[in-house]
Amino acid sequence: MKLILTTIPLITCFSLVNGECQDPTVATTGSGIPLRDRFAIRTVGCRGPVPMEAAEFLDDQSHIDRERIPERIVHAKGFGAKGFFEVTNDITKYSAAKVFSSIGKKTRVTVRFSNGFADKGGADTQTDIRGYSIKFYTEEGIWDLVALNLRVFVINDPKLFSSLAHASKRHPTTNLMNATTFWDFLTLRPESTHGLMWLFSQTGFPCSMRNLNAFGINTFRLVNASSEYVYCKFNIITNQKIRNLTIEQTTKLLSTDPDYYQRDMFYSIEKGNFPSWTLKIQVMTQTEADSAPFNYLDTTKSWPEDKYPMIEVGRIILNENPANHFAEVEQIAFSPANLVPGIQTSPDKILQARVFSYMDTQRYRIGNNFQQLPVNRPINPVHNNQRDGHMAFENQGGAPNYYPNSFGGPGSSCRAKNLSAPYYASGYVREYLSDTDYFSQPRDFYENKLDDEGRKFLISSIVKSLSQAFEFIQIRAIIMFANVNQGFARGITEELLAIKGQPEALAFCGIDVCSP
Ligand code: HEM
Ligand SMILES: *[C@@H]1O[C@H](CO)[C@@H](O)[C@H](O)[C@H]1NC(C)=O
Ligand SMILES: *[C@@H]1O[C@H](CO)[C@@H](O)[C@H](O)[C@H]1NC(C)=O
Ligand SMILES: *[C@@H]1O[C@H](CO)[C@@H](O)[C@H](O)[C@H]1NC(C)=O
Ligand SMILES: *[C@@H]1O[C@H](CO)[C@@H](O)[C@H](O)[C@H]1NC(C)=O
């Protein structure tokens, strides 16, 4: 075939009125000034240098020079989708939150799916915690539900969070992901056993994020119109089938399609195949909590469904892709501090720490006025005495900017106060270690919740990661899992030994696989 060269078409301005361009889509600088030329920079003479007055170039170049904001310290890799939440069951006897006020009521939501420890460019199917965060735009402000695909968390004391993140992310010297540091930290903290088993089980490798269940993990409180509270766990249960990948598939997808989960979600929604979930709660009264055989505020313990049944609340449907990833996903800011009247914190210490941490990082990651961005701002008006700071574009007019005052301005609301159900707390102020029942729930998980295939998968996926750690740490992990179940530990040991004899493992011991 012959290559036909045509002349480059002239860029023309379609609507010239009196010699002036009327095209509303004409390219401009950030200040709205129509561009003189899109291809050529201003120079002194045809082959001369660029003068300082090349303002069109400066505007554009200085913008791209600043286009990246810090990636999230955890959950950096993620994608979003939009949709709505619809109440399908009356739970007003538990919570007076307006978002639950009547069956059929719809509330707009934005969801972000994420990987916990991967960097922004990481691969979706790597062994990782998967996040599912929902922002509900309610008439009484933003409610964020920030959940994971694990039923329990790997730590139950926030003092250990920074170490969890450091041990799980890149090594400070090699800048490589490091199974040794990961397993080192987690095997030194036996409360991680339960969370680790969820992380490495089939649940951790869903077929797509549409097939994912997610759990709020932390213990919240719901408060009803009579100011009575119950403790509550939020669960997000998929209405798609539970389906998961095989270990071989997860490994293959790491290289063939690192954005596998994101691609699936985007094109499912694009094709009108809208995924949905059922929001369910489990509740406990204070009396039930006091007599529970486990610490109901401990994030490494789950609430058994036979004793604390799932109660349906509503459904979440995702039916729209974001039009702009950065504006609607990268800049979205979820926080467990965003609780609306009728949903409150509990003394769960992980929750208490999260109430601080998320907005703290967002003030750094996005900027002081991040709550004013379209994706983060509530649908109801914001009235307070906050003013100024970088990028304050909804600065709430003028005086008075203090309270109380004699000149009007936002009043106090008795709504939230009416719904506050105080809980009693007292005790000696000091550092308390968590309880030491590390293994009974993991044992129940292994022996009763998993089938043979699930147990086999769990062993293989643990071995895939653990085999990369130093040997003394492998031994420590085996001892930890032996406390759960002897057969479990034996399975891990046998597979580890089998791998060590295989030629692929030798490649890491200095055998050059590239030479003929
Ligand atoms: C002490 C415990 C924890 C601390 C200090 C903590 C801290 C953080 C921080 C700083 C971020 C980044 C937020 C941002 O840049 O916008 C984050 C993200 C996230 N965390 Fe946690 N976290 C903790 C425990 C948990 C738990 C228990 C869950 C789930 C129940 C969870 C789920 C998530 C999710 C899903 C994201 C991603 C949010 C998004 O999509 O933007 N975290 N966490
Ligand atoms: C609030 O909860 C209490 C205790 O469960 C219950 O007796 C009361 O009827 C509830 N109030 C409303 C308005 O549902
Ligand atoms: C992993 O971490 C250990 C402990 O810090 C270190 O000795 C080792 O060199 C690291 N390996 C890689 C690949 O980062
Ligand atoms: C994983 O997939 C298998 C095979 O489709 C299925 O039998 C099993 O129930 C799934 N389990 C989980 C926890 O996803
Ligand atoms: C609760 O609110 C109602 C009206 O909304 C008000 O009349 C009442 O005084 C409030 N009660 C308290 C304890 O603030």
Side-chain angles (χ1 to χ4, degrees), residues 79 113 209-210 261-269 275:
F79 54 92
F113 299 92
M209 289 289 202
R210 294 177 290 125
Y261 285 145
Q262 176 171 354
R263 190 183 314 283
D264 168 84
M265 185 66 69
F266 189 91
Y267 289 105
S268 291
I269 293 176

Side-chain angles (χ1 to χ4, degrees), residues 71-75 112-114 129-133 146-148 150 153 155 157-162 215-218 299 329 332-334 336 349-351 353-354 357-358 361-362 365-366:
E71 66 175 40
R72 289 166 175 81
I73 181 61
V74 286
H75 295 266
R112 182 173 180 270
F113 299 92
S114 56
I129 291 172
R130 326 245 175 244
Y132 184 131
S133 310
V146 190
L148 300 176
L150 318 181
F153 201 44
I155 54 171
D157 193 304
K159 270 260 187 86
L160 291 170
F161 180 82
S162 60
F215 306 94
I217 298 178
N218 283 122
T299 46
V329 183
I332 200 168
F334 297 96
K349 32 188 168 178
I350 291 282
L351 176 58
R354 293 177 78 203
S357 175
Y358 288 65
T361 199
Q362 285 147 7
R365 179 169 75 80
I366 314 171

Side-chain angles (χ1 to χ4, degrees), residues 414-415 417-418:
C414 48
R415 179 82 173 84
K417 196 167 115 214
N418 250 344

Side-chain angles (χ1 to χ4, degrees), residues 36 41-42 50-59:
R36 288 177 297 260
I41 194 168
R42 178 168 287 210
V50 177
M52 198 66 160
E53 64 168 67
E56 288 180 3
F57 167 76
L58 298 184
D59 176 70

Side-chain angles (χ1 to χ4, degrees), residues 124-163:
D124 283 349
T125 60
Q126 77 179 51
T127 304
D128 209 336
I129 291 172
R130 326 245 175 244
Y132 184 131
S133 310
I134 316 177
K135 189 175 283 297
F136 296 82
Y137 301 87
T138 89
E139 67 209 84
E140 286 194 314
I142 297 289
W143 172 35
D144 289 330
L145 177 55
V146 190
L148 300 176
N149 67 328
L150 318 181
R151 199 76 190 246
V152 291
F153 201 44
V154 283
I155 54 171
N156 56 15
D157 193 304
K159 270 260 187 86
L160 291 170
F161 180 82
S162 60
S163 290

